[in-house]
């Protein structure tokens, strides 16, 4: 057992950290407040190969795994630039297409995902069903050699930046008559696909949308995989990378907040010339938050290692635990940093309160802390299913 990164992973971490710090949190905030996207950072990260670290080399990627992509997510977040679309496009979409797409789909989409020139976002959540794919209302039906998709999706990130959206729908199994999940690659400019921007109380350059699919007509090759049988394994192939990279982004955000607060408390002097960090009422909460973030990072590393080793069931447990631990730790770290800075913590200048909305959302999405506890109770502790 080792907790050391390989030399290549160390180099990746250092390089991504340098890139992130060159842009910094002020860049992230300025883009978010102006309604713009972090296009320059995304483009440069793609050109440098960081967006495609987990994509096979034959499609222009780095040939690494989710471990490497988690490093990218964490280090950009630790520099104050947590990019949500790293989770959606390289982690979810690229993994699904790499593992379950047809060869034509891989050739068509993976090179662009690797260099950042293409983005594919992910649409599973619905207003009524949430992310319970057993109850999805979006339905795909055959019409000759084509497909027609109808339904609604909500909280879909980055549709305005993407070329395609990976839509999870239900199809009817001709043999059994039962509905089963399937994934479709839908151009964001497809006829019948419309969107409505959701106003969110989160400072982020990435927007959230409601999607409406009204008999969106798709060619046969829009179906991910060679047949409908690919739907369920393809769906699950994207969920573990999603949880792991979201967790990595949360851990990076926690590190960023603790670093900003520690710099402040180590130099701020009041009441007799002592730094406020010399008082345990200030330093202990920060130390506690640092411990929680580091514990989350260990679980993220374990989950990514299991996933890259092909141990999907174990990675599912570890990935959910990592997401839970990171969500709690990031929220604690940002809140503690704000408290340590006092009034300064609520200013834009000091750059910690700007993350309050994002880390609070991290305890809800992409899966809530309560659903993770349900999962752990059932699959780890052997309890009866509670829902």
């Amino acid at each position: 057992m080792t907790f050391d990164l390989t030399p290549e992973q160390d180099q990746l971490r250092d390089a991504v950290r340098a890139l992130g710090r060159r842009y910094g949190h002020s860049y992230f905030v300025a883009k978010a407040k102006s309604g713009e996207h972090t296009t320059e950072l995304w483009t440069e990260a793609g050109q440098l190969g960081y967006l495609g670290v987990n994509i096979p080399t034959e499609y222009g990627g780095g040939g690494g795994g989710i471990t490497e992509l988690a490093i990218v997510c964490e280090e950009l977040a630790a520099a104050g630039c947590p990019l949500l679309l790293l989770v959606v496009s390289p982690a979810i979409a690229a993994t699904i297409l790499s593992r379950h797409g047809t060869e034509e789909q891989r050739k068509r989409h993976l090179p662009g995902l690797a260099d950042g020139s293409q983005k594919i976002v992910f649409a599973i959540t619905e207003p009524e069903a949430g992310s319970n794919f057993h109850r999805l209302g979006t339905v795909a039906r055959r019409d000759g050699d084509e497909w027609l998709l109808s339904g609604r999706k909500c909280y879909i990130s980055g549709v305005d930046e993407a070329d395609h959206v990976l839509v999870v729908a239900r199809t009817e199994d001709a043999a059994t008559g039962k509905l089963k999940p399937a994934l479709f690659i839908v151009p964001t400019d497809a006829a019948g696909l419309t969107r409505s921007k959701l106003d969110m109380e989160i400072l982020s350059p990435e927007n959230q949308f409601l999607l409406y699919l009204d008999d969106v007509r798709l060619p046969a090759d829009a179906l991910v995989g060679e047949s409908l049988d690919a739907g369920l394994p393809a769906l699950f192939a994207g969920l573990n990378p999603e949880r792991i990279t979201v967790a990595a982004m949360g851990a990076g955000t926690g590190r960023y907040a603790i670093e900003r607060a520690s710099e402040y408390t180590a130099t701020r002097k009041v009441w007799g010339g002592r730094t406020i960090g010399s008082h345990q009422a200030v330093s202990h909460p920060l130390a506690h938050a640092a411990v929680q973030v580091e514990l989350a990072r260990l679980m993220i590393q374990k989950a990514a290692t299991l996933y890259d080793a092909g141990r999907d069931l174990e990675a599912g447990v570890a990935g959910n635990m990592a997401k839970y631990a990171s969500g709690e730790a990031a929220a604690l770290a940002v809140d503690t940093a704000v408290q340590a800075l006092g009034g300064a913590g609520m200013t834009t200048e000091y750059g910690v309160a700007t993350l309050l909305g994002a880390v609070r959302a991290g305890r809800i999405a992409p899966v809530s802390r309560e659903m993770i506890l349900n999962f752990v109770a059932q699959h780890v502790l052997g309890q009866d299913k509670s829902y």
Side-chain angles (χ1 to χ4, degrees), residues 125-136:
T125 308
E126 295 185 357
E128 287 78 23
S131 56
N132 179 3
F133 69 85
H134 297 291
R135 294 282 182 258
L136 294 181

Side-chain angles (χ1 to χ4, degrees), residues 151-171:
R152 293 190 300 163
K153 300 290 182 180
C154 62
Y155 304 118
I156 310 305
S157 307
V159 181
D160 56 334
E161 301 180 63
D163 309 282
H164 297 83
V165 54
L166 200 56
V167 175
V168 184
R170 294 196 298 163
T171 64

